[in-house]
Amino acid sequence: AQKVTQAQTEISVVEKEDVTLDCVYETRDTTYYLFWYKQPPSGELVFLIRRNSFDEQNEISGRYSWNFQKSTSSFNFTITASQVVDSAVYFCALSERGRGAQKLVFGQGTRLTINP
Amino acid sequence: DSGVTQTPKHLITATGQRVTLRCSPRSGDLSVYWYQQSLDQGLQFLIQYYNGEERAKGNILERFSAQQFPDLHSELNLSSLELGDSALYFCASSASPGTTNTGELFFGEGSRLTVL
C-alpha cells in the first residue's frame, strides 16, 4: 500500500531562517507523482509543486526548493529565508493513477510556525 | 481562487441527522474527488467520480454516499451522523485526460461540519 510519512509534526523557527520539511514515501508503482500542498490558517489547500517519478531534477521557485531522491524515497521541501507568511501546515502527497482513477495519499502534515 | 466551489462553508447539526455537501468543479474538469480532514485521521480520500461514474473509492463509510450529476457538480451525503464525523470535507477537481493533465488536484475551500 502507498504511504507518505512526514515525521516532523511541528517545526518552529525564527524569521529568515532556512527550514526543511521532510517527506518519505512508499509505493510499488514505477510511475507516480509527488506533490506538496500548503494549508494556511484560512484552511484551503494550495498546490505548490508536482514531481513525476521519472524526473529527479531538483526544482527551485523563489524561496522554495524541492529535493527528490528516488534512492531514498524522499521528496523534501526547503524554504529559504523564511517569512511569517510561510506559517501553515504543509502536506506531502503521493498520487496513484490508473484506469482513469487517481487518488492522493497525504502525509500527516507538518505545522510550520515562523516567528517574527 | 482554485475555481472549485463548495457549499455550505460551515454546517452545525446534531447526531443522527443527515446533511448534503455540494461541490462544483472547475469549468471543464470531469473528475471530482472528496476528502475528509479530521484531527485524528488527517486527510483521507473518500471517493472519486469521473463524468458521472464512480472511479475510485477510499475509506468512505457506508453511511456516506456521493454522486456526480450530468452538469458535473457533485454531492456528498452524510447520514446517521456521529460526533466523529465532525471534520473539514474537501472537494477537488482535476483536468480531464487528454488535456494538460498534470495530476494536480484543485481543492475547494472545504465545508466544515460540526456534529453536536
Side-chain angles (χ1 to χ4, degrees):
Chain A
Q2 295 188 319
K3 186 179 177 182
V4 176
T5 302
Q6 295 179 254
Q8 305 148 308
T9 307
E10 292 190 34
I11 299 176
S12 180
V13 300
V14 177
E15 200 172 19
K16 296 184 184 176
E17 285 186 21
D18 298 348
V19 58
T20 296
L21 309 182
D22 298 333
C23 173
V24 174
Y25 63 92
E26 296 175 29
T27 181
R28 293 180 181 176
D29 294 341
T30 54
T31 301
Y32 52 89
Y33 294 83
L34 295 162
F35 299 80
W36 277 93
Y37 280 84
K38 173 182 179 180
Q39 187 175 36
S42 49
E44 73 273 23
L45 284 165
V46 179
F47 167 80
L48 294 179
I49 190 172
R50 176 197 71 116
R51 174 67 63 199
N52 75 51
S53 53
F54 297 109
D55 183 2
E56 288 194 67
Q57 280 193 336
N58 291 333
E59 181 153 343
I60 298 175
S61 175
R63 297 183 297 105
Y64 295 171
S65 63
W66 291 268
N67 183 295
F68 174 32
Q69 291 197 345
K70 226 170 168 178
S71 60
T72 57
S73 297
S74 65
F75 187 42
N76 297 336
F77 173 30
T78 298
I79 302 175
T80 304
S82 60
Q83 299 176 2
V84 173
V85 293
D86 295 326
S87 296
V89 180
Y90 290 86
F91 292 94
C92 181
L94 171 67
S95 171
E96 174 185 84
R97 300 174 71 181
R99 297 189 297 275
Q102 172 179 286
K103 67 174 186 177
L104 290 185
V105 175
F106 284 87
Q108 287 296 98
T110 297
R111 181 177 298 278
L112 176 63
T113 303
I114 311 297
N115 299 297
Chain B
D1 183 1
S2 68
V4 177
T5 304
Q6 288 187 249
T7 57
K9 285 188 170 40
H10 300 275
L11 191 55
I12 301 174
T13 189
T15 54
Q17 295 297 305
R18 171 191 170 95
V19 299
T20 297
L21 309 180
R22 182 188 168 99
C23 170
S24 294
R26 292 188 320 154
S27 176
D29 285 357
L30 298 179
S31 280
V32 169
Y33 311 76
W34 287 97
Y35 282 80
Q36 179 195 57
Q37 185 179 28
S38 60
L39 284 175
D40 55 345
Q41 294 292 325
L43 268 162
Q44 298 281 320
F45 168 73
L46 296 179
I47 199 164
Q48 177 202 356
Y49 279 84
Y50 175 78
N51 203 21
E53 292 186 2
E54 181 184 306
R55 278 297 173 92
K57 214 166 185 177
N59 299 321
I60 187 167
L61 299 172
E62 285 190 11
R63 299 183 286 108
F64 297 179
S65 64
Q67 54 184 327
Q68 186 179 27
F69 294 87
D71 67 352
L72 300 178
H73 90 271
S74 178
E75 292 182 357
L76 178 67
N77 300 296
L78 315 174
S79 61
S80 302
L81 285 168
E82 302 175 0
L83 295 178
D85 297 328
S86 295
L88 187 55
Y89 291 84
F90 283 105
C91 171
S93 71
S94 66
S96 306
T99 66
T100 53
N101 187 353
T102 66
E104 173 190 346
L105 266 59
F106 297 88
F107 283 85
E109 293 185 351
S111 293
R112 184 169 297 280
L113 173 66
T114 302
V115 182
L116 300 176

